[in-house]
Amino acid sequence: MPMSESLFITGAGVVSAIGVGKAETLASLISGKTGIGRMKYLHSVHDDLPVGEVKLDNTEMARMLGTEPSEGLSRTVLLGRLALREALGQAGLTAADIAVAPFISATTVGGMDRRELFYAGERDCDRKHALIAVHNCADSSIQTAEPFGRFASITTVSTACSSATNAIITGANMLRCGKADVVVAGGSESLSLFHLNGFNTLMILDHEQCRPFDRDRAGLNLGEGAAYIVIETEASVARRGVKPLCRLSGYGNACDAFHQTASSADGEGAFLAMQEALHTAGIKAEDIDYVNAHGTGTPNNDESESRALCRIFGSKMPPVSSTKSFTGHATSASGSIEAVFCMLAMEHQFLLPNINWKTPMDEGIVPVTDTCPKREIRNVLSNAFGFGGNDSSMILSKT
C-alpha cells in the first residue's frame, strides 16, 4: 500500500572507486571520471581484469579513522566505517540517538580478505586466529558500528547484489511499523580473491572497462565501496530539528526465482520490484525523472532490465543510465552507493552519465551520456538486482 507517513533521509556517507566522501564523489560524477583501472591493492594472477578499487590501502584508511592498523579489521569494515562516519556526522546523531537507532548493514564478502591471509601459509597461531575470527558477515556489521556507540540493534542483510537496497527497505519497514524513529542502513563490500575468482568462473567479467547497455558489452568490472544513509520518520525530523536531504518515498522487492545467477528474459522480477516501488510511492511511471539502472554490463542483465523498463515506462522512457562504469559493480554495497549518487543528482540537478557507451543494443534502452536534465529531477528510481532473482527498487524524491 502507499506509505501513510513520509520517511526522510537526513544523512549520507559514501566511499567508492571515484572518491572518499560525497564531495569527491560529486566531482567525479559531474566530470565523468571513472575509478576503474588496473589492480593495485588486490593481488591476483588475474591482474588483467580491470577493477574499481577505493584508492586507499588498509593502513591509510585506518589512520584516516584515527585507529591503528589491525589484523582484526577487514577492508570491508574500514570502508564501512568511513562511510558510516560521514552519514552519522551529516545527520548529527548523538550517542542518545544512536542508542535507539537500529543499524542494518549489508555485505556478502564480509571479512573474506582476512580469511584469505589465513590460508596463505601463515604459521603464527595467534595471527591465524585473528584472521579467521573476523570472517563472518555479522562480525563485519558489528565492527563497522563499534566506534560510533551502541546501536539499538545490529542486523546483517546478505542477498547478493540487492543486499544494500534490501537493508534500506528493512530499515524503512521498521520505521513504518513503529519499531524505531531513526534507522541507519546501507552496506559495505571489499574486493577479495574469492570475489574476483567467483565472478571470473561465471565468465561475466570484462577484460576492458565495462559498457553497460552497449551492443558490444562483454561483462562487468568488479568494484568495492560502502554507503550508509540515516532514515527518519517525520516526527523524528521535527523533534530533532534537522533538515531532510530527500524522501525515501517508495520501494519494492520481488523474486522471479528464474535461475541461480541469470535474470529472466522478460525481466519479471525487475518489473514487479519497480511496479511495487511506484505503488508504495503513490506515483505513476511518468512521474519518474531519472532511473539509475542496475546496468551491470553483462549481456543477460542489460537485455532483461531493458525489457523490464520498457514494460514499466513504454514509449515514455525517462533518462536512464548505469553508474557501474564509474565504480565497477560493488555487489552487496552497490544499492546504497548508487542511492547516494541519486541523492547528489537530485540535490545538484544533473543526470548521471552512462560513460563508455557507444552503440545501441538491439531492442535495448538508450542510456543518457550527458549530465543536463531536460526537466527538474524530483523523483528518482534506483534498481538493484541480485542473484537468484532477488530484485529490489527504491524511489527517492525531493522534499
Side-chain angles (χ1 to χ4, degrees):
M1 67 176 62
M3 290 199 282
S4 57
E5 182 181 14
S6 294
L7 302 181
F8 295 96
I9 297 173
T10 58
V14 65
V15 179
S16 74
I18 60 171
V20 177
K22 293 192 291 297
E24 286 185 12
T25 299
L26 176 64
S28 294
L29 289 171
I30 290 176
S31 66
K33 179 184 177 183
T34 184
I36 297 170
R38 292 188 63 87
M39 293 179 202
K40 180 177 180 180
Y41 305 108
L42 183 66
H43 303 291
S44 169
V45 295
H46 302 297
D47 59 2
D48 58 320
L49 293 168
V51 292
E53 290 180 307
V54 173
K55 309 302 186 284
L56 295 166
D57 64 28
N58 288 13
T59 299
E60 290 170 321
M61 285 193 284
R63 287 175 179 162
M64 287 175 68
L65 290 161
T67 185
E68 288 298 316
S70 166
E71 294 293 0
L73 294 180
S74 68
R75 189 168 176 86
T76 296
V77 169
L78 292 167
L79 292 168
R81 286 185 180 182
L82 286 172
L84 183 56
R85 181 175 67 177
E86 184 179 29
L88 297 177
Q90 183 173 32
L93 293 186
T94 65
D97 296 323
I98 288 171
V100 295
F103 178 58
I104 306 106
S105 186
T107 188
T108 301
V109 168
M112 182 60 77
D113 64 322
R114 304 292 88 189
R115 180 66 167 256
E116 288 168 354
L117 294 176
F118 174 88
Y119 287 114
E122 175 60 46
R123 296 183 180 275
D124 184 298
C125 289
D126 289 340
R127 184 167 185 258
K128 284 177 77 74
H129 175 76
L131 293 170
I132 202 170
V134 297
H135 169 69
N136 70 74
C137 294
D139 191 81
S140 292
S141 300
I142 292 167
Q143 287 202 334
T144 298
E146 187 177 30
F148 304 103
R150 189 176 181 86
F151 282 87
S153 62
I154 298 177
T155 302
T156 303
V157 176
S158 190
T159 58
C161 304
S162 58
S163 298
T165 300
N166 284 338
I168 292 169
I169 290 174
T170 301
N173 284 333
M174 294 179 78
L175 295 173
R176 288 182 69 188
C177 67
K179 297 293 185 182
D181 292 322
V182 181
V183 299
V184 183
S188 181
E189 194 95 296
S190 66
L191 284 166
S192 69
L193 297 176
F194 171 82
H195 208 183
L196 185 78
N197 295 342
F199 276 84
N200 197 36
T201 300
L202 292 172
M203 296 183 289
I204 55 174
L205 295 182
D206 198 336
H207 287 255
E208 301 177 23
Q209 289 190 12
C210 65
R211 292 146 288 173
F213 298 111
D214 192 282
R215 182 196 65 189
D216 300 319
R217 67 198 185 282
L220 60 87
N221 306 137
L222 280 174
E224 63 180 359
Y228 292 97
I229 61 174
V230 178
I231 318 169
E232 305 188 40
T233 63
E234 191 168 2
S236 176
V237 167
R239 183 177 63 252
R240 294 203 315 116
V242 292
K243 182 180 179 181
L245 304 175
C246 66
R247 287 188 298 119
L248 174 57
S249 55
Y251 50 84
N253 170 262
C255 187
D256 62 17
F258 171 75
H259 186 269
Q260 294 96 323
T261 58
S263 300
S264 57
D266 61 356
E268 180 67 7
F271 169 78
L272 291 172
M274 289 187 281
Q275 186 179 62
E276 184 181 355
L278 289 166
H279 180 65
T280 57
I283 61 176
K284 298 178 181 179
E286 52 263 38
D287 296 320
I288 297 296
D289 304 302
Y290 166 71
V291 178
N292 182 267
H294 187 56
T296 60
T298 61
N300 172 251
N301 176 90
D302 294 5
E303 181 178 336
S304 176
E305 188 171 9
S306 285
R307 288 178 179 167
L309 287 165
C310 288
R311 290 174 66 186
I312 291 289
F313 296 104
S315 61
K316 298 179 180 179
M317 187 72 66
V320 180
S321 71
S322 168
T323 49
K324 289 181 175 63
S325 46
F326 281 93
T327 62
H329 189 359
T331 54
S332 292
S334 61
S336 55
I337 290 171
E338 292 169 23
V340 177
F341 291 177
C342 291
M343 291 169 62
L344 291 170
M346 273 197 301
E347 180 185 358
H348 298 278
Q349 288 296 301
F350 71 99
L351 294 173
L352 302 170
N354 199 116
I355 58 177
N356 300 331
W357 184 88
K358 293 181 180 177
T359 310
M361 295 166 48
D362 293 336
E363 299 181 4
I365 62 109
V366 175
V368 294
T369 55
D370 60 27
T371 61
C372 298
K374 290 183 171 59
R375 70 184 194 189
E376 184 182 11
I377 303 172
R378 297 197 59 82
N379 298 297
V380 173
L381 173 69
S382 185
N383 289 334
F385 305 146
F387 283 166
N390 192 316
D391 298 335
S392 296
S393 300
M394 63 178 153
I395 295 173
L396 303 175
S397 302
K398 288 192 72 174
T399 54

